[in-house]
């Protein structure tokens, strides 16, 4: 009997004796009036009354589309959409404007310009094209704002004033989460500078391929039947899509950084013997299940059925390591130390 197996050997990681790092506190954004108005518009669309129409699309309609962005004959990473509902509003840019007059069953090529700070330098400011297939067009009648408190189902919301307050609170929580994410990056990046660590490029390539497959790869498979392209473009988009990702250095760098974070945090977990307690696991399961009215037991069962239970637990313990490092950090704002534990 011969058995062939492949074993990944973790690179040697030597943590500094002192895990306390000093980082500058990221700026904290506050909810702006335009953000609240955007949330109101989103609720109006969500609870609006739609009806299929047999006519060309016009402003205010909803269209369900497949789409992919193409630049210089290659797919633009993370520009693929399948069965995506788009509201035809001016704020949704050239894609929405380009779909005016389109009808279900039609394909359109819509030109637009990539921004000058596009992360892939050769494409900065370049002309690009959305290739779009329209599945259906629906008219949309949105409710008046005073009707939203009853429709939204948000707890403790019973009038416009309480709705605005609830949206403000939700935006505040969102900005707080963004602040924590940025703080996490600053702490981890600072610690990585003091921790010699090389991520094997084979891991980076494998992880990048998996990331592509879970996003653009799956979506491209789903839209291929509807998006008609010239042979050369078709090959570049649907057969060689991953090769475009490989050219975009920022995607490789993001993947490499994420793997470095995981290796660093895993080492912290092992060397500092961090463990999860049953209450911590239950709390995390309840947080996932709350919006869907599922118990912790139901969420855990679903994770097991999808074979995602071990990944879930691994992420929880890495999150615990992040919190551990942040508690050690000295967070500075100007000359003041906001936290030192």
């Amino acid at each position: 009997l011969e058995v062939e197996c492949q074993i990944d050997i973790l690179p040697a990681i030597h943590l500094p004796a002192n895990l306390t790092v000093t980082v500058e506190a990221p700026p904290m954004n506050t909810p702006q009036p335009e953000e609240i108005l955007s949330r109101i518009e989103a609720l109006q669309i969500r609870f609006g009354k739609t009806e299929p129409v047999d006519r060309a699309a016009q402003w205010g309609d909803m269209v369900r589309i497949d789409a992919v962005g193409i630049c210089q004959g290659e797919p633009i990473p993370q520009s693929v959409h399948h069965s995506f509902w788009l509201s035809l509003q001016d704020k949704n840019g050239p894609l929405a404007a380009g779909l005016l007059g389109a009808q279900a069953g039609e394909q359109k090529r819509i030109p637009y310009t990539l921004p000058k700070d596009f992360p892939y330098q050769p494409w900065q400011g370049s002309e690009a094209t959305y290739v779009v297939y329209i599945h259906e067009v629906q008219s949309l009648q949105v409710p008046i704002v005073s009707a939203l408190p009853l429709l939204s189902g948000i707890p403790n919301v019973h009038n416009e004033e309480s709705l605005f307050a609830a949206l403000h609170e939700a935006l505040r929580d969102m900005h707080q989460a963004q602040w924590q994410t940025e703080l996490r990056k600053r702490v981890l990046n600072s610690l990585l500078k003091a921790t010699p660590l090389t991520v094997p490029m084979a891991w980076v390539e494998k992880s990048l391929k998996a990331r592509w497959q879970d996003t653009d790869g799956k979506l491209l498979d789903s839209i291929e039947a509807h998006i008609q392209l010239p042979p050369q473009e078709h090959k570049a988009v649907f057969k060689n899509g991953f090769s475009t990702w490989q050219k975009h250095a920022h995607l490789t760098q993001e993947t490499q950084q994420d793997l470095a974070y995981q290796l660093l945090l895993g080492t912290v977990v092992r060397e500092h013997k961090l463990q999860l307690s049953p209450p911590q696991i239950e709390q995390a399961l309840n947080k996932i299940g709350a919006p869907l009215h599922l118990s912790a037991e139901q969420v855990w069962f679903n994770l097991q059925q999808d074979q995602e239970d071990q990944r879930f637990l691994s992420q929880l313990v890495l999150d615990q390591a992040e919190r551990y490092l942040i508690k050690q950090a000295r967070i500075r704002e100007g000359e003041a130390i906001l936290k030192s534990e």
Side-chain angles (χ1 to χ4, degrees), residues 102-333:
Q103 293 189 324
E106 183 181 352
Q107 177 173 297
K108 296 199 72 173
R109 295 183 71 99
I110 301 170
Y112 70 107
T113 303
L114 293 176
K116 292 184 178 180
D117 61 350
F118 190 78
Y120 182 50
Q121 192 272 334
W123 287 1
Q124 290 177 351
S126 295
E127 294 303 309
T129 303
Y130 286 118
V131 182
V132 186
Y133 177 82
I134 299 91
H135 286 280
E136 59 182 308
V137 179
Q138 294 190 357
S139 64
L140 173 67
Q141 183 178 353
V142 299
I144 59 176
V145 175
S146 60
L148 288 176
L150 182 62
L151 292 170
S152 68
I154 301 174
N156 302 317
V157 168
H158 47 81
N159 57 29
E160 290 180 52
E161 183 178 354
S162 58
L163 175 63
F164 292 154
L167 294 177
H168 186 279
E169 182 69 14
L171 285 166
R172 191 187 68 81
D173 291 345
M174 181 192 75
H175 288 306
Q176 175 71 21
Q178 291 171 341
W179 183 88
Q180 291 173 340
T181 297
E182 179 59 29
L183 177 63
R184 160 190 173 271
K185 289 181 179 179
R186 295 187 181 198
V187 169
L188 292 179
N189 286 337
S190 182
L191 191 55
L192 278 175
K193 290 178 181 178
T195 308
L197 171 59
T198 301
V199 181
M201 283 310 299
W203 291 14
V204 177
E205 186 76 8
K206 181 179 178 181
S207 184
L208 183 67
K209 182 67 175 288
R211 182 181 169 194
W212 171 81
Q213 185 58 51
D214 286 343
T215 54
D216 284 5
K218 287 183 178 179
L219 293 172
L220 287 168
D221 288 343
S222 298
I223 71 173
E224 186 174 3
H226 289 112
I227 299 292
Q228 304 300 314
L229 299 173
Q232 189 171 350
E233 260 189 358
H234 183 276
K235 182 179 180 181
V237 171
F238 293 110
K239 307 304 177 187
N240 300 326
F242 178 59
S243 64
T244 300
W245 271 53
Q246 292 173 301
K247 294 179 183 178
H248 291 237
H250 69 284
L251 296 173
T252 299
Q253 290 165 2
E254 289 170 6
T255 303
Q256 189 170 19
Q257 185 179 61
D258 286 343
L259 288 171
Y261 287 165
Q262 291 177 38
L263 288 170
L264 175 66
L265 292 170
T267 304
V268 172
V269 169
R270 289 189 298 274
E271 293 196 4
H272 292 264
K273 298 179 173 58
L274 302 182
Q275 294 182 337
L276 294 171
S277 66
Q280 287 176 310
I281 298 173
E282 184 175 6
Q283 182 182 19
L285 291 170
N286 282 325
K287 185 176 181 180
I288 295 173
L292 302 173
H293 306 290
L294 297 176
S295 67
E297 292 78 9
Q298 290 171 311
V299 174
W300 181 247
F301 175 79
N302 291 339
L303 288 170
Q304 289 180 312
Q305 289 294 104
D306 295 337
Q307 298 183 342
E308 291 289 332
D309 49 328
Q310 293 307 309
R311 181 184 295 186
F312 167 76
L313 292 175
S314 296
Q315 187 58 55
L316 272 189
V317 76
L318 293 182
D319 291 344
Q320 186 181 41
E322 287 181 5
R323 292 191 294 271
Y324 178 81
L325 291 175
I326 290 173
K327 287 183 71 173
Q328 312 301 315
R330 292 162 55 88
I331 303 171
R332 184 179 61 206
E333 187 172 60

